[in-house]
Amino acid sequence: MQRFIVIGITDNPKPWFPPEVLEIIKNGKVFSGGKRHHEIVAPLLPEGAEWIDITIPLDAVFEQYISLTSHPSPLTSEIIVFASGDPLFFGFANTIKRKMLEADIVVYPTFNSLQMLAHRLVMPYRDMRIVSLTGRPWPEFDRALIERVGKIGVLTDKEHTPATIAQRMLDYGYSEYTMHVGEHLGNPTLEKVTTLSLEEAVHRDFSMPNCVILCGGTEEHACPFGIPDSEFTLLDGREKMITKMPIRLLTLQALALPKRHVFWDIGFCTGSISIEARLQFPQLHIEAFEIRPECEAIIHENARRLGTPGISVHIGDFLKTDIASLPRPDAVFIGGHGGKLKEMIAKVLTVLADDGVIVMNSVKAPKVLTDSQQLWDETCEEFGLRQEPPMKIVIDEHHPIKILKCRK
């Protein structure tokens, strides 16, 4: 069994370790860590020590680890790994546990960077939501913003810098936050802590490594349940080209979004369904499709105005769109089908999760030649989909609307 001893360090060029850890290093043979870690601990390594750099791709690193287990000896059966902060806090010990299930792991942690930043600010952090953007995309950060979390700790990388984070927040209207940035925490010469507005952060460069604490989200800024229709930019200013707010909320209810993970909005037009879903259920991953190219600018404008980052937009004919690489939906809303409902549903069914639902709103208007509910019924019967009783709604002087729902 491969044994890993994972030692947490800060950015201090002269690290302090307790006697127990110093003895482990003194007697070690094989060591591993990032290049910066190597620079810091090099003076402490014994003569003849072997070093394995932790670089991307990680699979190559673990191949070197595994090769040591193929020819085990008392000197190579133990690997001493240096990692930043607490190795179990979005750290390398988690990666070892995931990739080498049988490994024996011992951890000697130190404070992680967000703890250290909170210490420098004398800021209680028990209520801080932690988000890692280190080699990760935006969804969890976007969710924290939409939920107006009051204190957000962010682990950064070279792409997700304090400046790009601040710009994203300003783009979507989250300007009420203050940003605290910690650089080279633990390094007595280079350490720096800066507190500034998002507008100031956009124009600043910060040295790596750094981390961020954002403070200021409050519930008073939260969007109400049900966005007024007047808040949306419309397609050509046409009021009929938007799902009205009461219908919108009932549609989301029919989709049962609180327990869903991936939502597809086909025929988004103004984006009202996707945006309402994103605000009310920020855990959702949303893919929005629309054939009209002019709607792309409209959904982006509405998303920025209403604070909903993270909606993936696809412009073009859905029937010609490559969906193979997209996350499988467990909820689908069809906002427009152009008479090709059967073809659309057939394509959706190739990727729909086993417990997935499909919802469509049917409008009975005098001049509409095709009865969309009849087409829906025929399609459901053809594909063996289980329908739920339709819900009929009338709002003001508008034509009756039926909310149709089926299950796979």
Side-chain angles (χ1 to χ4, degrees), residues 178-230:
T178 297
M179 177 177 282
H180 306 280
V181 183
E183 304 168 74
H184 295 283
L185 294 169
N187 187 313
T189 303
L190 300 177
E191 179 176 296
K192 185 177 181 181
V193 175
T194 309
T195 297
L196 66 173
S197 68
L198 298 181
E199 290 81 1
E200 292 170 325
V202 166
H203 303 290
R204 292 280 293 274
D205 290 325
F206 296 92
S207 58
M208 295 291 292
N210 62 59
C211 63
V212 166
I213 295 179
L214 298 161
C215 297
T218 59
E219 291 185 0
E220 66 185 48
H221 291 94
C223 185
F225 183 68
I227 307 168
D229 297 338
S230 59

Side-chain angles (χ1 to χ4, degrees), residues 361-377:
N361 294 338
S362 172
V363 182
K364 183 64 176 178
K367 295 183 180 181
V368 176
L369 298 178
T370 304
D371 188 328
S372 57
Q373 183 178 359
Q374 180 181 345
L375 185 56
W376 168 271
D377 292 340

Side-chain angles (χ1 to χ4, degrees), residues 192-375:
K192 185 177 181 181
V193 175
T194 309
T195 297
L196 66 173
S197 68
L198 298 181
E199 290 81 1
E200 292 170 325
V202 166
H203 303 290
R204 292 280 293 274
D205 290 325
F206 296 92
S207 58
M208 295 291 292
N210 62 59
C211 63
V212 166
I213 295 179
L214 298 161
C215 297
T218 59
E219 291 185 0
E220 66 185 48
H221 291 94
C223 185
F225 183 68
I227 307 168
D229 297 338
S230 59
E231 293 293 314
F232 290 94
T233 295
L234 305 176
L235 177 61
D236 298 328
R238 296 154 62 189
E239 293 185 3
K240 292 184 178 180
M241 299 303 290
I242 184 174
T243 303
K244 301 298 181 183
M245 188 258 284
I247 302 299
R248 200 159 60 238
L249 295 180
L250 288 170
T251 298
L252 300 187
Q253 184 276 333
L255 288 160
L257 294 181
K259 61 180 181 180
R260 302 295 173 183
H261 303 286
V262 180
F263 170 50
W264 284 15
D265 180 7
I266 303 174
F268 63 74
C269 192
T270 63
S272 65
I273 290 285
S274 287
I275 290 169
E276 189 83 67
R278 187 78 173 124
L279 278 180
Q280 308 303 340
F281 310 103
Q283 87 283 357
L284 286 172
H285 179 103
I286 300 179
E287 303 284 342
F289 304 83
E290 176 57 56
I291 195 170
R292 291 166 289 199
E294 61 268 30
C295 291
E296 183 173 15
I298 293 173
I299 192 173
H300 286 309
E301 180 181 345
N302 286 329
R304 285 188 171 90
R305 178 186 298 162
L306 295 164
T308 53
I311 298 173
S312 299
V313 176
H314 308 270
I315 299 298
D317 187 342
F318 176 75
L319 294 176
K320 298 179 181 179
T321 300
D322 182 6
I323 61 173
S325 62
L326 299 180
R328 293 182 63 191
D330 50 10
V332 175
F333 174 68
I334 299 179
H337 54 82
K340 297 182 179 180
L341 181 62
K342 287 186 180 181
E343 294 88 340
M344 279 189 175
I345 289 183
K347 186 168 185 175
V348 166
L349 290 176
T350 64
V351 293
L352 187 66
D354 290 339
D355 62 342
V357 298
I358 305 173
V359 170
M360 184 183 79
N361 294 338
S362 172
V363 182
K364 183 64 176 178
K367 295 183 180 181
V368 176
L369 298 178
T370 304
D371 188 328
S372 57
Q373 183 178 359
Q374 180 181 345
L375 185 56

